[in-house]
């Protein structure tokens, strides 16, 4: 599909394409696809980019062997890993006959631990391919290309607050992300890493299981529609407490669906729960801190820059994402 589309673009081949893309954390979650091979979502979602945390990727043609080579953080990856298989499948979407690539990617966040490394990875690869081939794609088309690698990668094309529109077209041509007109440098994210072990159930598998067996998945589009409308309003009004609360509740709603999936999908660990209770108790003491959780046990804290010292005093291991420095 995409290759056909790319045929309309004049390609000005470069020797190498290099790009950075940030990771992103969803405040309104993407959970469920209306089309599984093209990663077309059931609902819109909304995220915030993680500034300088993400993936830097270079891609060049492999002129010495008829295979793709993938190097992650300086280490050559075995061909049979799921990591390489996903990248090769993505490269198949754009390669011409007899083209093979060397992909080098440096990711400065834990891989596959629910910290959105695949989003940054596929977005950076899409941007790097755009540079290599000299396509000069616009942001919407880059977002669509990144989406074909991993749904949430569609949002990693931009910094800041981003909305991914699910669209209505069967081919996904109107399912891309747009940057929202909200500058809020005081809005910070902190990562609480409970484990960076690779997860047993991928988000892809878990999403499919939820959409097919959670008895109340059909309510999810309505939950998202209401949460999204209210959260956007709160963002435009810079109402931090409301943004935090809606984001936290939306994540909890997503995890409650996973728990009702048959068999249950449980990413939450005892430590995750302990930290959630700590966040709630700090809020009771008047500290404005909220959390969100993705397809993994780690938590992401949401707070304002002015409260950073209070948050750090309570969570010594917090990895602060200093978005204001971006
Ligand atoms: O793009 P994927 O397949 O890694 O799915 C991401 C799913 C969540 O992180 C749980 C939610 C989201 O919107 O990012």
């Amino acid at each position: 599909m995409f290759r056909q589309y790319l045929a309309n673009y004049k390609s000005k081949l470069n020797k190498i394409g290099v790009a950075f893309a940030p990771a992103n954390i969803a405040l309104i979650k993407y959970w469920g696809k209306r089309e599984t091979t093209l990663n077309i979502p059931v609902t819109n979602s909304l995220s915030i980019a993680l500034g300088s945390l993400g993936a830097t990727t270079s891609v060049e043609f492999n002129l010495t062997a008829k295979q793709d080579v993938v190097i992650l953080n300086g280490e050559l990856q075995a061909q049979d890993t799921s990591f390489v298989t996903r990248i090769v499948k993505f490269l198949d979407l754009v390669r011409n006959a007899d083209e093979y690539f060397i992909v080098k990617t440096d990711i400065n966040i834990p891989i596959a631990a629910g910290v959105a490394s695949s989003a940054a990875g596929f977005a950076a690869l899409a941007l790097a391919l755009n540079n290599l081939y000299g396509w000069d794609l616009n942001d919407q088309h880059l977002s669509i290309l990144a989406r074909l690698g991993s749904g949430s990668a569609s949002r990693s094309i931009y910094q800041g607050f981003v909305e991914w529109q699910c669209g209505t077209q069967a081919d996904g041509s109107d399912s891309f992300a747009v940057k929202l007109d909200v500058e809020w440098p005081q809005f910070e994210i902190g990562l609480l890493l409970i484990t960076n072990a690779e997860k047993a159930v991928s988000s892809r598998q878990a999403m499919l299981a939820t959409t097919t067996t959670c008895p109340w998945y059909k309510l999810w589009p309505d939950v998202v529609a209401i949460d999204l409308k209210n959260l956007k309003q709160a963002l435009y009004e810079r109402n931090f407490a409301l943004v935090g609360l809606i984001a936290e509740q939306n994540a909890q709603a997503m995890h409650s669906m996973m728990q009702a999936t048959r068999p249950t999908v449980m990413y939450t660990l005892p430590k995750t729960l302990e930290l959630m209770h700590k966040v709630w108790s700090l809020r009771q003491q008047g500290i404005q801190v909220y959390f969100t959780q993705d397809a993994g046990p780690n938590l992401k804290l949401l707070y304002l820059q002015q409260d950073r010292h209070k948050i750090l005093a309570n969570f010594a291991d917090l990895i602060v994402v200093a978005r204001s420095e971006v």
Side-chain angles (χ1 to χ4, degrees), residues 116-132:
S117 51
S118 73
F122 280 108
L125 185 53
L127 293 165
L129 284 165
N130 184 48
N131 292 342
L132 177 73

Side-chain angles (χ1 to χ4, degrees), residues 17-316:
V18 186
F20 168 81
N24 74 77
I25 300 296
L27 303 178
I28 301 293
K29 303 297 185 190
Y30 146 56
W31 200 249
K33 307 180 197 206
R34 74 175 153 85
E35 209 289 329
T36 47
T37 47
L38 299 172
N39 293 334
I40 309 178
V42 173
T43 70
N44 289 18
S45 56
L46 190 151
S47 63
I48 182 170
L50 293 195
S52 57
L53 283 192
T56 303
T57 297
S58 73
V59 57
E60 57 195 299
F61 295 106
N62 187 353
L63 304 173
T64 55
K66 286 182 179 303
Q67 68 166 16
D68 299 321
V69 171
V70 179
I71 297 167
L72 170 64
N73 291 343
E75 277 183 36
L76 177 68
Q77 302 295 301
Q79 293 298 119
D80 56 357
T81 56
S82 65
F83 183 76
V84 173
T85 314
R86 278 184 77 184
I87 291 174
V88 169
K89 226 175 112 195
F90 182 71
L91 294 169
D92 288 344
L93 297 170
V94 301
R95 80 172 90 237
N96 300 304
D98 259 344
E99 276 177 351
Y100 298 93
F101 303 94
I102 299 172
V103 177
K104 292 184 189 152
T105 186
D106 288 319
I107 297 186
N108 59 4
I109 35 177
I111 314 281
V115 196
S117 51
S118 73
F122 280 108
L125 185 53
L127 293 165
L129 284 165
N130 184 48
N131 292 342
L132 177 73
Y133 281 104
W135 293 318
D136 218 8
L137 297 179
N138 65 25
D139 286 347
Q140 294 182 355
H141 288 139
L142 287 167
S143 173
I144 290 175
L145 178 57
R147 190 200 76 212
L148 298 173
S150 168
S152 53
S154 66
R155 299 185 307 237
S156 273
I157 296 298
Y158 315 92
Q159 291 285 358
F161 293 93
V162 176
E163 181 174 359
W164 174 16
Q165 302 169 344
C166 58
T168 54
Q169 298 296 315
D171 65 358
S173 55
D174 58 352
S175 181
F176 48 76
V178 293
K179 188 171 162 60
L180 297 179
D181 188 17
V182 178
E183 295 298 325
W184 197 354
Q186 295 78 19
F187 193 111
E188 269 189 15
I189 304 260
L191 306 179
L192 283 177
L193 288 185
I194 290 164
T195 164
N196 57 10
E198 203 157 326
K199 57 198 173 200
V201 186
S202 70
S203 55
R204 190 170 287 250
Q205 289 167 302
M207 234 182 250
L208 187 62
T210 308
T211 51
T212 47
T213 71
C214 171
W216 48 86
Y217 181 74
K218 55 183 178 293
L219 299 178
W220 177 243
D222 291 339
V223 171
V224 169
I226 295 166
D227 284 352
L228 187 65
K229 181 170 172 286
N230 292 338
L231 186 127
K232 275 168 84 172
Q233 175 83 22
L235 267 185
Y236 290 125
E237 291 170 0
R238 306 289 189 274
N239 183 340
F240 178 74
L242 195 53
V243 171
L245 191 64
I246 296 168
E248 188 176 296
Q249 288 172 343
N250 186 266
Q252 295 285 65
M254 176 182 75
H255 282 276
S256 78
M257 290 194 301
M258 292 189 219
Q259 286 173 34
T261 292
R262 301 167 185 197
T264 198
V265 179
M266 178 65 90
Y267 288 115
T268 301
L269 294 175
K271 184 76 188 165
T272 318
L273 269 180
E274 187 188 312
L275 292 170
M276 285 179 184
H277 282 278
K278 191 162 170 187
V279 167
W280 292 324
S281 114
L282 288 173
R283 279 225 294 282
Q284 287 202 323
Q285 296 163 40
I287 300 177
Q288 288 297 309
V289 56
Y290 299 83
F291 65 80
T292 185
Q293 183 190 0
D294 291 292
N298 305 315
L299 290 187
K300 290 93 187 190
L301 299 189
L302 315 175
Y303 57 91
L304 289 174
Q305 193 177 46
Q306 70 220 37
D307 293 327
R308 189 198 284 174
H309 61 286
K310 291 187 209 159
I311 311 298
L312 278 171
N314 285 284
F315 300 98

